[in-house]
Amino acid sequence: MALTMLNELLIEDPSPPMLLYQVSKTAQLDTLNYQSCFMQGIFAHFPEILFIHRTYNPRDKVLYTFLVDGPQVQLESHLARAVYFAIPAKEDAEGLAQMFQVFKKFNPAWERVCTILVDPHFLPLPTLAMEFPAAEVLPSAFHICKFLQGKFYQLSLEQPVERALLTSLQSTMCSATAGNLRKLYTLLSNCIPPAQLPELHSHWLLNDRIWLAHRWRSRSESSRYFQDLEVTTRVLSQFFGTTSSVEQGMTSLLRYMQQNSRDKASFSLGLSPQNNYVPSYVTPESPKVEQLVEARIQHSLNAICTGPAAQLCLGELAVVQKSVHLIGSGSEKVNIQILEDTHRVQPQPPASCSCYFNQAFHLPCRHILAMLSTRCQVLQPDMLPAQWTAGCAASLDNILSSKWSETLDKHLAVALLTQEVGQLLQHCNQEEFERRYSTLRELADGWIGPYEQVQL
């Protein structure tokens, strides 16, 4: 089965790639090394910095994706920086050494690799150092960011503290100066219980060598860099990390790469004009299962909700399609990320979310619909407040079909802002409270004027 699927893939490729694989006695894929001619050319042009990402499969197989990195790399498509795919037989010293040796055999430019960026928990560092003796191996800023982000959710912190940490993390990653890193380190020390602080490995933030490899980017370039890697790793997880069939996952991933080969002409092997750069969000073709799930969700929305409510939710569902990332889940809460917008979903009926749409309308938002799509579920009547179910909310049709009330919109915005400011003032030490309060005092006086004392 594996031989048939992979050979069919080779026939479809107009320029035959380098594909080495080994099948076990059970006719399952044991090892794989893949590189197209285009991927080989990209690496030969940008070999200085190599980024390695691992994607785990339910069958305990690991996909190693090699990507080029660095100031010169300006490829305007996700996965365009991927230059090599490999699945070792085992993730031990022998299996990884064989994988790296095959990579080097087909890529003479490997001798020009100066820096290798890896997950900070990449254990076989001695093997990597032995195979690339002239390269410096460093933890990548992206993997550190994802690790800290996941830890913030796992620690079940109070929502204002969690939000403050996530905001500071995002800001620091986009401007990784020594001062910003020190501020984030101090914030972690103040907000995280001492017993749990070692789990975060906050000392990484003080290792300046790690951040020198990332600091050359501007704020906008850093934001785009993290976003591109987020989408790239999500695509890898969607194809390889969610199916127990390694053969099916790799065939789908490589076919997706082939289907997007028409974008090769737009790849620039030099510096792209950064001012005119607009990232094109490439998303994978929908498997038939996903199309069926989305169709069922649409049907359930139309069947359960009133007309206006269904229209609002279908608009949210359009955003969900191909842009969802399930960060982590538990028995009570699910963390949903759509591109850079992260919110917390409470799946128990009636489902709720921390986003503005759900708080304002109490309707299934894009994050709740993303959760349903990821779990291959549909909307159930008990997930919807009674006033929005079909036949019970006819009196609201005129409200939703007319223009949105600007007064009500401002009222909701002010109410949410007031609540947020109140929480920020309540959950801080005395020194921080005085600083925030004085800033708020200055803003109020500057907006309305000191001649009219505003009660805060």
Side-chain angles (χ1 to χ4, degrees):
M1 179 180 175
L3 289 170
T4 302
M5 296 174 69
L6 292 172
N7 283 320
E8 287 179 354
L9 194 67
L10 280 176
I11 296 173
E12 297 172 5
D13 198 317
S15 56
M18 182 279 292
L19 177 63
L20 300 176
Y21 57 87
Q22 179 176 333
V23 180
S24 66
K25 294 181 180 180
T26 59
Q28 292 181 329
L29 193 64
D30 193 34
T31 65
L32 178 140
N33 296 270
Y34 174 89
Q35 185 180 50
S36 69
C37 296
F38 179 71
M39 295 163 71
Q40 191 176 44
I42 292 292
F43 177 71
H45 204 85
F46 305 114
E48 288 80 13
I49 303 178
L50 196 59
F51 181 103
I52 299 179
H53 179 73
R54 294 179 295 170
T55 307
Y56 291 89
N57 179 271
R59 214 178 78 189
D60 294 330
K61 283 291 186 179
V62 183
L63 171 65
Y64 278 73
T65 303
F66 295 52
L67 303 100
V68 290
D69 205 317
Q72 303 299 321
V73 181
Q74 299 288 339
L75 300 178
E76 302 181 5
S77 177
H78 304 300
L79 274 178
R81 297 193 296 112
V83 295
Y84 199 79
F85 293 118
I87 301 175
K90 292 183 179 180
E91 206 177 14
D92 55 12
E94 181 181 357
L96 293 179
Q98 184 179 19
M99 178 187 72
F100 291 132
Q101 289 166 10
V102 174
F103 171 80
K104 293 192 296 183
K105 182 176 181 179
F106 288 92
N107 294 275
W110 74 268
E111 295 180 346
R112 294 160 54 197
V113 175
C114 300
T115 305
I116 301 178
L117 304 176
V118 297
D119 183 331
H121 292 104
F122 187 84
L123 296 179
L125 290 178
T127 303
L128 192 59
M130 181 178 64
E131 296 298 332
F132 296 86
E136 181 182 19
V137 182
L138 294 172
S140 78
F142 173 78
H143 285 116
I144 290 177
C145 177
K146 296 302 296 179
F147 171 79
L148 291 175
Q149 186 183 57
K151 279 296 182 182
F152 294 162
Y153 290 121
Q154 292 176 10
L155 293 177
S156 300
L157 304 168
E158 293 185 5
Q159 194 167 9
V161 175
E162 180 184 284
R163 187 180 297 110
L165 289 173
L166 290 172
T167 301
S168 179
L169 175 64
Q170 181 180 4
S171 177
T172 302
M173 292 301 106
C174 290
S175 181
T177 64
N180 287 342
L181 290 164
R182 171 62 68 175
K183 289 179 182 178
L184 179 57
Y185 177 86
T186 303
L187 184 63
L188 291 179
S189 302
N190 293 335
C191 295
I192 304 299
Q196 297 175 317
L197 192 59
E199 301 177 21
L200 273 66
H201 298 281
S202 56
H203 60 275
W204 290 333
L205 299 174
L206 303 182
N207 186 344
D208 200 56
R209 190 65 195 93
I210 295 175
W211 307 102
L212 286 176
H214 172 68
R215 198 171 288 160
W216 56 266
R217 298 181 179 91
S218 66
R219 177 175 288 273
S220 61
E221 289 171 338
S222 293
S223 177
R224 184 167 64 243
Y225 172 78
F226 282 106
Q227 194 173 68
D228 287 349
L229 280 178
E230 182 71 40
V231 176
T232 297
T233 55
R234 176 173 51 81
V235 169
L236 294 172
S237 296
Q238 179 172 349
F239 285 122
F240 184 80
T242 59
T243 173
S244 59
S245 172
V246 176
E247 298 81 13
Q248 181 63 53
M250 284 306 303
T251 304
S252 300
L253 174 61
L254 299 180
R255 181 168 287 118
Y256 164 70
M257 297 281 289
Q258 288 182 350
Q259 291 173 346
N260 288 272
S261 62
R262 60 183 178 273
D263 296 331
K264 290 179 182 178
S266 66
F267 295 163
S268 172
L269 295 184
L271 284 173
S272 299
Q274 296 176 6
N275 294 336
N276 299 325
Y277 179 85
V278 178
S280 56
Y281 297 107
V282 178
T283 52
E285 297 293 330
S286 302
K288 292 182 179 180
V289 175
E290 291 187 6
Q291 293 178 346
L292 178 60
V293 170
E294 290 169 3
R296 292 177 60 194
I297 292 177
Q298 292 179 10
H299 177 75
S300 64
L301 286 170
N302 289 319
I304 297 174
C305 304
T306 62
Q311 291 178 5
L312 288 171
C313 295
L314 289 173
E316 291 288 286
L317 181 62
V319 180
V320 168
Q321 296 171 349
K322 311 306 168 295
S323 63
V324 59
H325 182 204
L326 181 64
I327 296 178
S329 61
S331 58
E332 297 181 355
K333 292 183 179 179
V334 177
N335 295 314
I336 294 292
Q337 178 172 355
I338 295 181
L339 295 183
E340 294 300 321
D341 188 12
T342 305
H343 290 282
R344 176 158 292 180
V345 173
Q346 184 79 28
Q348 283 74 18
S352 63
C353 179
S354 59
C355 72
Y356 180 81
F357 179 92
N358 183 260
Q359 295 296 314
F361 296 107
H362 302 289
L363 285 169
C365 59
R366 63 191 64 175
H367 311 100
I368 293 175
L369 296 173
M371 177 197 67
L372 295 176
S373 178
T374 302
R375 294 180 170 182
C376 296
Q377 298 174 349
V378 297
L379 186 72
Q380 300 297 330
D382 59 355
M383 299 181 67
L384 197 70
Q387 66 268 25
W388 287 111
T389 55
C392 298
S395 60
L396 297 177
D397 288 1
N398 294 332
I399 297 176
L400 291 178
S401 61
S402 62
K403 292 183 178 180
W404 174 248
S405 169
E406 184 177 359
T407 303
L408 181 56
D409 184 45
K410 287 183 178 180
H411 175 75
L412 287 171
V414 170
L416 289 173
L417 182 60
T418 302
Q419 181 183 10
E420 180 69 17
V421 171
Q423 290 177 345
L424 289 175
L425 291 175
Q426 291 174 14
H427 297 86
C428 61
N429 56 37
Q430 184 64 29
E431 181 182 355
E432 187 69 12
F433 174 84
E434 294 296 340
R435 186 180 66 81
R436 292 178 179 178
Y437 183 85
S438 61
T439 301
L440 188 61
R441 175 81 271 162
E442 292 177 6
L443 289 173
D445 291 343
W447 181 27
I448 299 178
Y451 49 83
E452 182 178 343
Q453 182 69 19
V454 181
Q455 182 177 357
L456 297 179

